[in-house]
Amino acid sequence: MRNSGERGPFLIIGGTGKTGRRVADRLRRSGQDIRIAARSAPTRFDWFDEATWEAAVSGAAAVYLVDAQDERAAERMRVFAPFAVKHGVTRLVLLSARGWEDSGDPGMLATENALKGSGADWTILRPTWFMQGFTEDETLCAPVRAGEVRLPSGDGLEPFIDAEDVAEVAAAVLTGEGHQGRTYALSGPRPLSIGEAVAEIAKATGRTVRYTPVSEEEYVAQLVKDGLAVDHAAFLARLFGWIRDGEDAHLSDGVQQVLGRPPRDFTAFARRAAAAGAWND
Ligand SMILES: NC(=O)c1ccc[n+]([C@@H]2O[C@H](COP(=O)([O-])OP(=O)(O)OC[C@H]3O[C@@H](n4cnc5c(N)ncnc54)[C@H](OP(=O)(O)O)[C@@H]3O)[C@@H](O)[C@H]2O)c1
């Protein structure tokens, strides 16, 4: 395992988000030196403000990367990855997504390719949908709290993954050996429909929460009425349509490969989140 004294801090870009926060917690608990970077973090890092990059990468040997999350992500990575290598970074671990591979979208795969051409040791993590969408993304969490989840995902199945597993895999890859040049597809242990996931939450909380399938048009109209930009609403509708069409239902064994154990199940997630009051009013 890398030792902070020998190798400098682990830089966690997106370290205030769903996975980055958990990666940072895990590394900190195992005694590693960490540096959390984001626009709102003490180490200010902005993908679109290169003046913030040097202080973030300075002295770091390994970096966890949540990308810029828009259509400029690949271009930003093509600039950032060689910059980081030039400043002494030797290991880059990118949070990607499993759907990218299956959709064959060259624009999305370009971010991964930017990493591969950087000269650093690289590892790519391609998870499915996070269970924590139901607790930490307002567009999903608020409807659960209100008692009705209306989504255009029909009865399609998704093997939701616990963000704790993504973080545990990321921490293992950042600190361990044997993961260089590997791409890990990460899923939860079983595919669930949104209806089944909502039923698990209802059971864990003892509240009435129901799922109502709607069309993509209805969903977009509702989100826009709630104040979301049309483009963002259409993007979310496409993601849920991806689930409806059964494109993402298959399982992947990346958690088992890296951690040597099966991934955490949705029932345990729902119980834990309910006990923590995630869906309380
Ligand atoms: N949600 C899912 O189910 C799912 C599934 C598979 C893959 N993914 C992938 O996961 C990624 C999101 O990761 P996450 O869920 O861990 O994060 P998240 O909870 O979405 O938070 C985003 C993080 O990125 C930072 N950030 C946003 N814009 C930034 C910018 N311009 N410069 C620097 N930092 C910026 C945010 O902090 P500040 O706002 O303070 O900058 C925050 O720390 C996306 O790339 C997505 O494709 C998500």
Side-chain angles (χ1 to χ4, degrees):
M1 183 179 268
R2 286 175 183 223
N3 165 312
S4 56
E6 293 164 11
R7 304 301 307 257
F10 289 88
L11 173 63
I12 323 278
I13 292 180
T16 57
K18 281 187 289 299
T19 59
R21 206 169 63 240
R22 292 175 166 89
V23 174
D25 282 350
R26 282 181 183 279
L27 292 176
R28 193 188 291 113
R29 284 203 305 269
S30 66
Q32 301 292 343
D33 186 11
I34 56 162
R35 183 182 295 156
I36 295 173
R39 292 167 304 181
S40 59
T43 297
R44 190 171 162 267
F45 176 91
D46 187 340
W47 281 106
F48 302 103
D49 179 1
E50 292 179 25
T52 63
W53 292 4
E54 187 161 352
V57 300
S58 171
V63 185
Y64 176 73
L65 291 154
V66 172
D67 72 21
Q69 297 173 71
D70 73 8
E71 65 285 353
R72 298 164 292 177
E75 184 275 329
R76 290 289 76 198
M77 195 62 76
R78 271 193 291 272
V79 181
F80 176 78
F83 176 92
V85 170
K86 195 174 140 209
H87 286 79
V89 171
T90 56
R91 179 171 294 188
L92 298 171
V93 178
L94 173 68
L95 178 67
S96 182
R98 198 180 68 173
W100 294 20
E101 173 194 22
D102 298 334
S103 72
D105 182 331
M108 293 174 144
L109 290 171
T111 306
E112 294 188 355
N113 288 335
L115 203 72
K116 294 179 183 175
S118 68
D121 287 346
W122 58 265
T123 307
I124 292 166
L125 308 181
R126 290 179 173 166
T128 54
W129 284 62
F130 303 153
M131 296 175 187
Q132 280 75 4
F134 289 96
T135 50
E136 296 180 35
D137 283 340
E138 244 348 75
T139 47
L140 258 185
C141 187
V144 171
R145 265 195 238 108
E148 186 185 16
V149 177
R150 299 168 65 83
L151 290 175
S153 43
D155 294 325
L157 300 176
E158 171 68 28
F160 295 95
I161 186 162
D162 194 322
E164 294 291 350
D165 280 339
V166 178
E168 197 171 332
V169 166
V173 167
L174 283 162
T175 57
E177 299 305 325
H179 306 292
Q180 296 87 344
R182 303 286 303 269
T183 297
Y184 293 111
L186 309 169
S187 82
R190 63 183 167 123
L192 286 126
S193 67
I194 296 283
E196 289 167 334
V198 164
E200 292 270 3
I201 293 169
K203 196 169 160 204
T205 54
R207 299 164 60 130
T208 302
V209 193
R210 67 174 185 277
Y211 167 56
T212 308
V214 297
S215 70
E216 286 191 33
E217 293 72 21
E218 274 177 89
Y219 183 61
V220 170
Q222 184 58 53
L223 290 181
V224 170
K225 199 169 149 219
D226 293 344
L228 241 68
V230 180
D231 282 0
H232 189 201
F235 171 72
L236 290 176
R238 264 203 319 280
L239 291 182
F240 285 113
W242 185 257
I243 295 181
R244 183 194 56 233
D245 298 342
E247 302 287 352
D248 213 31
H250 59 285
L251 299 180
S252 297
D253 66 353
V255 172
Q256 180 73 43
Q257 279 184 59
V258 177
L259 301 177
R261 61 153 179 84
R264 294 168 166 88
D265 190 66
F266 197 94
T267 307
F269 156 76
R271 285 193 189 134
R272 203 172 71 227
W279 297 294
N280 292 351
D281 292 322

